[in-house]
Amino acid sequence: MLSTYGLLKLVHVVSVIVWIGGVSALWVVAIRLGRGGEHAALARVLPIATRYGQTIAGPASILVLVTGIAMMIVGHLGSPLWVRLGFIGILVHFVFGATLIRRNFMTLGRLSTTSPPDDARLAVILRRTTLTNWIYLLLMVSVIAVMVLKPTA
């Protein structure tokens, strides 16, 4: 029989997959379209990616936080190092996503619709977006690794 903790953990893990997997896939598509000079396609994909972030990924990240807190309570976990690092990770996500990532994609959206296209500026924002996204993804994968491996030091 499925316990409350088990159900919370299932929702927690599925929410991480929806959040991180979805935004990663959309980033790759957007960046590839931009690098390939597919400005019209990029301009059509970015609003879809934004809507996904606002309606699916954002709520999934909040669900990760809520189920994590609930698992701490139900499982009587206290606040070991791995739990504290998870909270730091979710805080980094909210700050990073609301500032750098959002700003980069808004600029990318504006540049993808300018006529004639400013290829030099678009190349700069694509490089910055790629770097920002890799840093974000590496941070999130680090948090996932901490949650799975549960260091106790």
Side-chain angles (χ1 to χ4, degrees):
M1 178 173 252
L2 189 61
S3 67
T4 302
Y5 185 87
L7 180 61
L8 288 167
K9 189 168 188 175
L10 174 64
V11 172
H12 189 76
V13 170
V14 170
S15 297
V16 169
I17 292 166
V18 168
W19 161 30
I20 300 297
V23 295
S24 297
L26 287 167
W27 290 342
V28 168
V29 169
I31 289 169
R32 295 242 171 148
L33 288 172
R35 286 185 179 162
E38 301 286 337
H39 302 278
L42 177 61
R44 287 190 308 273
V45 164
L46 287 173
I48 295 166
T50 299
R51 191 170 308 114
Y52 179 85
Q54 293 170 341
T55 61
I56 307 291
S61 70
I62 292 168
L63 195 52
V64 168
L65 175 62
V66 169
T67 55
I69 292 169
M71 285 189 302
M72 283 178 50
I73 294 166
V74 169
H76 307 287
L77 299 178
S79 61
L81 175 64
W82 60 272
V83 169
R84 292 190 308 268
L85 291 173
F87 279 117
I88 291 169
I90 199 89
L91 177 64
V92 166
H93 151 68
F94 287 124
V95 171
F96 213 76
T99 58
L100 296 174
I101 291 174
R102 182 174 178 272
R103 190 175 330 131
N104 285 343
F105 275 93
M106 287 176 65
T107 303
L108 190 57
R110 274 194 313 277
L111 291 174
S112 68
T113 59
T114 59
S115 183
D118 186 344
D119 291 328
R121 286 194 64 210
L122 191 59
V124 169
I125 191 63
L126 281 167
R127 278 194 302 275
R128 187 169 62 208
T129 301
T130 301
L131 177 63
T132 303
N133 291 347
W134 272 112
I135 291 169
Y136 174 84
L137 184 59
L138 289 172
L139 286 168
M140 293 302 104
V141 168
S142 298
V143 171
I144 293 168
V146 166
M147 295 295 99
V148 170
L149 299 174
K150 296 177 177 33
T152 58

